[in-house]
């Protein structure tokens, strides 16, 4: 069978690599996109085509025969399907977060990298665990809000900039209580939750603590949690997505080069031993998106103690400085630094992986 991948960013590239390895009877001819603007013209030597152009060059019979893997974010899956139908394509495989997780678990399992949490034998005892689901007053309303387990509690972000008490109704915590950086939320986004947890919520180094988002979580069952406790797992992360030509593609897309240069200067100044491995780590394709984590409190604390001095120094070195802007650049930057830190420590931490759940 033959077909296409719809999309041309990290989800599409990851899907392509997994489908190529796992479905050897399926021949991928290329990638389809709505527009070539801001998209590559080829991926792994395969063409990236606009849907309209590709459809015009195919017979109706051909369009009915090909299969299209729709590898775009969950919240635009339906629009992608409508577009493909409009141009005559009929056979779809929606690669939502659930399908993405299955593909990546099988693909990485086949390659023996990024070990799954689901491989562990379950234990008898639940670990101590607290997870904080980050919310913001202007979050998009979800059609089906998530029902989280009891160990997940909500934290409202940016409370210093939104003093209305009504915004905090139904929320367990606000990020402007205790020691905080709530006022930095326009640049830090979910990282104000990381800071608040680090400074105010850690109690036992061997318990687990995590961060979810109002519309994203890690896919972890009770058996997985018991397996983590039994097998001494240090941290659970989402399966990394594949970025080409390497993971610098992410910060090139979201962060100005001069801001990234400020971050590198801060890293060299504060953690020169990490800066020495920058080229090695950032030259590979695997990237931990979304700042989702479940970790031993001691690991979470070590990470925050490493990260925030770098971000604070980056603010000082940026032009304009962080306090003079509100463009989320430090939140995007933190995803790259998150990836850098945990790839740096992949051999001295017991890291396991799972899929992510999306709520739309």
């Amino acid at each position: 069978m033959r077909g296409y991948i719809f999309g041309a960013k990290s989800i599409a590239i990851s899907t392509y690599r997994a489908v190529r390895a796992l479905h050897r009877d399926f021949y991928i001819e290329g990638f389809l996109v709505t527009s070539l603007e801001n998209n590559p013209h080829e991926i792994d030597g395969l063409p990236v085509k606009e849907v309209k152009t590709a459809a015009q060059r195919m017979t109706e019979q051909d369009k009915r025969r090909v299969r299209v893997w729709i590898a775009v974010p969950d919240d635009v899956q339906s629009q992608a399907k409508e577009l493909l139908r409009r141009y005559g394509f009929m056979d779809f495989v929606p690669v939502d977060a659930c399908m993405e997780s299955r593909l990546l678990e099988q693909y990485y399992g086949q390659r023996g990298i990024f070990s799954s949490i689901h491989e562990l034998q379950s234990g008898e005892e639940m670990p101590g665990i607290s997870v904080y689901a980050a919310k913001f007053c202007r979050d998009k309303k979800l059609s089906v809000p998530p029902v989280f387990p009891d160990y997940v509690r909500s934290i409202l972000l940016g409370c210093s900039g939104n003093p209305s008490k009504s915004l905090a109704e139904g929320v367990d915590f606000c990020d402007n209580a205790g020691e905080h950086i709530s006022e930095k939320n326009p640049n830090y986004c979910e990282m104000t939750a990381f800071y608040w947890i680090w400074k105010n919520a850690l109690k036992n180094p061997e318990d687990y603590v995590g961060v979810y988002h109002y519309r994203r979580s890690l896919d972890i069952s009770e058996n997985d949690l018991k397996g983590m406790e039994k097998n001494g797992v240090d941290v659970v992360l989402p399966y990394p997505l594949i970025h080409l030509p390497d993971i610098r593609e992410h910060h090139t897309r979201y962060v100005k080069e001069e801001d990234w240069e400020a971050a590198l200067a801060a890293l060299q100044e504060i953690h020169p031993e990490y800066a020495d491995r920058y080229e090695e780590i950032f030259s590979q394709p695997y990237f931990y998106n979304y700042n989702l984590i479940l970790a031993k409190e001691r690991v979470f604390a070590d990470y925050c103690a490493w990260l925030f001095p770098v971000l604070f120094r980056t603010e000082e070195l940026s032009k304009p400085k962080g306090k003079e802007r509100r463009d989320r650049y430090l939140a995007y930057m933190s995803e790259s630094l998150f990836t850098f830190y945990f790839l740096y420590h992949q051999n001295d931490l017991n890291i396991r992986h799972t899929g992510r759940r999306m709520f739309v």
Side-chain angles (χ1 to χ4, degrees):
M1 191 171 193
R2 64 191 183 92
Y4 290 89
I5 306 292
F6 183 84
K9 300 299 184 186
S10 56
I11 297 174
I13 295 166
S14 304
T15 298
Y16 162 68
R17 290 278 181 93
V19 169
R20 184 182 65 178
L22 300 171
H23 298 271
R24 296 190 178 275
D25 58 338
F26 185 83
Y27 176 70
I28 299 173
E29 297 191 354
F31 296 79
L32 300 177
V33 293
T34 305
S35 169
L36 285 175
E37 186 177 359
N38 298 320
N39 279 311
H41 287 243
E42 70 163 21
I43 296 172
D44 270 359
L46 296 179
V48 179
K49 306 176 182 179
E50 291 187 351
V51 173
K52 180 179 180 180
T53 302
Q56 289 173 341
R57 296 175 180 175
M58 297 169 67
T59 67
E60 293 302 314
Q61 187 177 33
D62 282 342
K63 283 185 281 188
R64 287 193 294 271
R65 286 178 176 173
V66 299
R67 173 168 293 172
V68 182
W69 298 70
I70 305 177
V72 294
D74 289 36
D75 57 350
V76 293
Q77 285 269 335
S78 59
Q79 295 97 307
K81 197 177 295 185
E82 289 175 13
L83 176 70
L84 290 163
R85 281 202 187 101
R86 190 188 317 153
Y87 287 106
F89 297 95
M90 302 299 294
D91 186 357
F92 310 126
V93 179
V95 184
D96 58 11
C98 183
M99 171 64 80
E100 173 196 299
S101 300
R102 291 201 298 269
L103 286 172
L104 289 179
E105 181 166 9
Q106 294 175 51
Y107 174 61
Y108 289 139
Q110 184 185 85
R111 302 192 64 203
I113 56 177
F114 302 117
S115 301
S116 170
I117 189 67
H118 311 305
E119 298 170 350
L120 298 178
Q121 183 180 2
S122 181
E124 297 297 324
E125 300 293 329
M126 279 283 287
I129 178 172
S130 296
V131 174
Y132 298 83
K135 303 178 68 175
F136 187 63
C137 63
R138 290 194 291 275
D139 285 339
K140 179 182 175 182
K141 188 174 181 179
L142 301 177
S143 57
V144 183
V147 178
F148 288 127
D150 291 341
Y151 60 77
V152 179
R153 292 173 288 178
S154 57
I155 178 169
L156 185 65
L157 307 187
C159 293
S160 287
N162 296 283
S164 172
K165 291 184 179 180
S166 64
L167 295 175
E169 292 178 0
V171 175
D172 296 307
F173 300 99
C174 292
D175 73 344
N176 65 343
E179 187 173 349
H180 66 85
I181 54 169
S182 177
E183 70 282 353
K184 294 179 181 287
N185 183 262
N187 284 329
Y188 280 71
C189 301
E190 68 271 9
M191 299 315 296
T192 65
F194 276 73
Y195 189 90
W196 185 89
I197 295 164
W198 175 37
K199 293 298 185 180
N200 300 283
L202 303 185
K203 298 176 182 177
N204 182 341
E206 295 305 312
D207 284 350
Y208 288 96
V209 66
V211 177
Y212 292 171
H213 305 168
Y214 82 105
R215 65 188 184 99
R216 296 188 189 99
S217 73
L218 295 175
D219 185 11
I220 293 179
S221 68
E222 184 174 309
N223 282 339
D224 293 330
L225 292 171
K226 291 177 180 178
M228 290 164 52
E229 178 76 355
K230 179 177 180 179
N231 294 275
V233 172
D234 290 314
V235 58
V236 181
L237 304 175
Y239 292 113
L241 292 175
I242 298 171
H243 290 248
L244 295 178
D246 54 44
I247 58 176
R248 278 173 281 221
E249 186 272 338
H250 183 272
H251 68 244
T252 300
R253 195 176 353 150
Y254 292 110
V255 179
K256 295 177 182 177
E257 185 58 31
E258 54 266 34
D259 289 333
W260 189 250
E261 289 173 0
L264 287 181
L267 189 68
Q268 290 165 345
E269 180 182 312
I270 299 169
H271 301 297
E273 71 281 14
Y274 284 82
D276 289 344
R277 292 190 60 194
Y278 170 80
E279 282 299 327
E280 171 200 342
I281 292 175
F282 275 81
S283 295
Q284 53 83 55
Y286 305 110
F287 190 88
Y288 289 121
N289 296 68
Y290 312 119
N291 282 323
L292 293 172
I293 187 172
L294 180 61
K296 291 280 191 182
E297 288 189 5
R298 57 178 168 77
V299 175
F300 188 91
D302 287 347
Y303 169 61
C304 289
W306 176 88
L307 174 71
F308 283 102
V310 175
L311 294 181
F312 294 159
R313 182 61 177 145
T314 300
E315 279 192 279
E316 296 172 357
L317 296 174
S318 302
K319 297 180 181 179
K321 295 181 183 295
K323 64 184 179 181
E324 300 168 1
R325 55 203 286 188
R326 303 166 64 89
D327 60 0
R328 304 173 65 187
Y329 79 111
L330 291 161
Y332 288 126
M333 197 174 284
S334 70
E335 287 185 273
S336 291
L337 294 172
F338 184 100
T339 299
F340 184 35
Y341 182 87
F342 286 106
L343 289 179
Y344 183 98
H345 288 285
Q346 62 184 330
N347 294 323
D348 51 77
L349 289 175
N350 183 357
I351 302 176
R352 291 285 171 159
H353 300 82
T354 187
R356 60 186 173 90
R357 298 177 64 206
M358 285 290 295
F359 313 101
V360 296

